[in-house]
Amino acid sequence: MNKNYDIVPIDKNAGNPKVVLLTFDDGPKDEKTLKPILDILDKHHAKAIFFVNGYRVKAHPELLKEIDERGHAVGNHSYEHIQLGKEKADVIKEQIGKVQTIVEATIGKKPIFFRPPNASANDDVHKIAAEEGLMFMTWSNGSLDWTMSGTKIKDKTKAIIGNVTDQLHPGSNILMHELTWTGAALDELLKTLEGKGYGFVDPASIQTGA
Ligand SMILES: [Zn+2]
C-alpha cells in the first residue's frame, strides 16, 4: 500500500497491477443487508475488508463470524464510530483497543487493518493504531454511497458505478458501506470492474509490515 492508500504490487514485475481493494465500513448491521453483499462477493470470487464498529459486533457477533468464515478480512473502525481526530489519547486507545478485544473474542484473531471513521485522525490515532499492530488506511476511491439515502435505488446503482469508475485507477482502495443500495449495486459494479480488466485484491495478500 502506498501513501495514497492505493494497493501497489510488492514485486512490480509480478501479477496484474489492474486490481482494486473492496472495503465495506460501518457493519455488521443486519443480516438482510450483509448477506446479499457476501453472496455477490462469493459470486465474483472477491474478498473484501469489512471495517467494523465494536458496538455493532457486540449486537451481532454471529454476523462477524459469518464475515470471517466466508474468507473476508475484519478491520477496526473504532468502537463507537466517533471522530477520533478530535479525541485525546486515552479515548482513542479505548476506541481502538476495545474493537481489537471484541473481534478477537468473537473470531479468534485481531484485526490488522484500521480505518478511522470519517478519516478523522491526529498523531495519537496514528501512534496508537501502530502500537496495536494495525495498518492505517483511509481510501483512494469513494463510492459516495453514504450520500445517497434520499434517491431511488436504480439511480443509486448508476451513481455508485459512476463514482467508482470516474476515480478508477490501478490499486484503487474503494470505500463502500454496509447499505442496502450498495448491496443492490454490487453485482453490476463488480461486473463493470471485471469488464475493464480489473481483479480484486485478497486483503490477506496485503503486506502490513506489522
Ligand atoms: Zn464509517
Side-chain angles (χ1 to χ4, degrees), residues 25-26 77 81 117-118 177:
D25 289 11
D26 297 3
H77 196 47
H81 204 276
N118 307 96
H177 291 78

Side-chain angles (χ1 to χ4, degrees), residues 31-93:
E31 191 170 342
K32 71 176 195 317
T33 313
L34 179 64
K35 280 280 178 76
I37 292 174
L38 293 174
D39 290 345
I40 290 156
L41 290 171
D42 279 353
K43 185 183 158 192
H44 290 265
H45 307 288
K47 302 294 182 214
I49 304 176
F50 286 80
F51 284 99
V52 300
N53 297 119
Y55 78 96
R56 293 194 187 275
V57 172
K58 193 178 173 196
H60 288 290
E62 77 289 356
L63 296 180
L64 192 78
K65 283 182 194 154
E66 172 125 26
I67 290 169
D68 176 58
E69 278 160 13
R70 290 171 78 160
H72 302 288
V74 172
N76 186 323
H77 196 47
S78 85
Y79 200 87
E80 287 168 310
H81 204 276
I82 58 169
Q83 301 229 4
L84 294 177
K86 295 178 179 169
E87 299 294 340
K88 295 232 181 332
D90 57 334
V91 174
I92 296 165
K93 221 177 176 117

